[in-house]
Amino acid sequence: MPRPTGNVRLKAARVAAGFNSQQDLADALTQHAREMGIRGLSIGVRQVRRWESDNPPWPQPDCQRVLVHLLGQSMEALGFTPPWGSDGPYPDPLRRALVTGGATALGLTAMPGRTAAAPQPPTAGVDFQAVTRSHRRLYWSVTPTQLHPAVVAHATLGCALLPETMDSTRRTVAAALAETYLLAGRIEFFDLREPNTANDTLLLALQAAGEADDPLLGSAVIAHMAFVPGWVADRDGALERMTAARTYARRASASAEFLAWLDAVEAECETRCGNTRTALHLISHAEDVLAVGNEHPSPEWMDWFSPARLAAFKGNTQMIAGHLPQARESLLEALASMTPAEDKQRSVVYGDLAAVEAASGNPEQACEYAGKALDQLSVTWYATGMDRVREVRRALTPHQHERCVRDLDDRLYDWSMTLSALSR
């Protein structure tokens, strides 16, 4: 007889629970989510079909909780393969507990090998949060490979503290833990170029934000998760995450700045998917949102966006769309508006200006901007900035025998820059 195909474990659990069709299970999961107090979760038959396929995707945290609670089995017993690996940056038992158990595993159960500890004093939340804030500021100046281990260690401490806190202290620790995981995920994605690891880390950030009941922080995490499919031109995956991010932002009465940033994130994903016209419409909407404003303040942890950053987003999209004069204007505006705290982003803007000049047939000007990007990278390393310089160098191939391009090569491939690039 032919061997069964698909996720036979989930199929068996579904039938054993009395759900004869995939639609029956989808309806039951949606209803059960409401009964568990999980707001806004709707599971369709298409999602159940994917879970019962040969290679079922690892469900989102809220879906995991409902599946386990309704069917009475662990995720592994239901045929799902966890996304973590034994060589990842987090201890395997910790990652397993965090990812599979949702909010409960973030603090309501003891870790293997640990005994119950006395409750932490209220100052523990403030102290843990203070280190999180320091890491946030250090991101803009410290080498990513040096900062990342400290951020991960701080997250591990937060996971240990959370079961020992209560009430407002618990929410403070959970929110700071979510921000810490968000920072780790940002470093992994933008600086270390590890998108799969970043996606796993951002899932942990989302679970911690749920434990803190902080929908705005949850929205920020999900929007960052949209970059992962967006970067590989998976438009459906990116838009699905952006829809979720906007839903969480509505629950939190987000600031105009935050809403404009969501537009900018979606615009970058659309640009990566080749839809520059849609991206430019989104950026125009973001500019209108910032101009009108609203009464809601931005959270202190949102230090990655400003009108100058929006102008940089705009310039990059205009450049890719072939609107070179407009791109040059937008990028120069971004450069002029950036504060010293935004120096890390300058390498990206210089790189885009170099690309504009290369596309305009101005190799000397392109090399000058690329050199300025390398100057900035020697001070504050940023993998995204180096990617821009490499793209410019490829665009300058027709001019590679010119003196300015050969001088750029001497800088791009000197000992320090080569080692910096290859060691990351």
Side-chain angles (χ1 to χ4, degrees), residues 53-73:
S53 67
D54 289 321
N55 297 297
W58 185 248
Q60 296 292 332
D62 282 345
C63 293
Q64 293 176 38
R65 293 171 58 195
V66 180
L67 276 166
V68 169
H69 199 270
L70 179 65
L71 299 179
Q73 299 184 44

Side-chain angles (χ1 to χ4, degrees), residues 190-255:
F190 293 110
D191 298 277
L192 304 182
R193 284 292 183 261
E194 298 174 357
N196 292 332
T197 302
N199 192 70
D200 290 351
T201 302
L202 292 170
L203 275 174
L204 300 178
L206 184 60
Q207 291 176 340
E211 180 69 9
D213 195 20
D214 191 331
L216 193 62
L217 190 50
S219 175
V221 172
I222 299 170
H224 276 89
M225 294 178 74
F227 282 125
V228 178
W231 238 246
V232 294
D234 177 5
R235 186 170 186 262
D236 290 342
L239 291 183
E240 182 178 13
R241 294 181 177 192
M242 286 308 305
T243 299
R246 293 184 186 280
T247 301
Y248 276 79
R250 284 197 300 272
R251 296 172 185 165
S253 300
S255 68

Side-chain angles (χ1 to χ4, degrees), residues 55 118 175 301 405:
N55 297 297
W301 42 258
V405 179

Side-chain angles (χ1 to χ4, degrees), residues 13 39 85 132 140 179-180 213 235 267 275 305 334 341 349-350 374:
R39 299 169 293 178
T132 297
W140 301 108
E179 186 186 336
T180 296
D213 195 20
R235 186 170 186 262
N275 303 315
F305 187 70
V349 179
Y350 280 132
L374 292 175

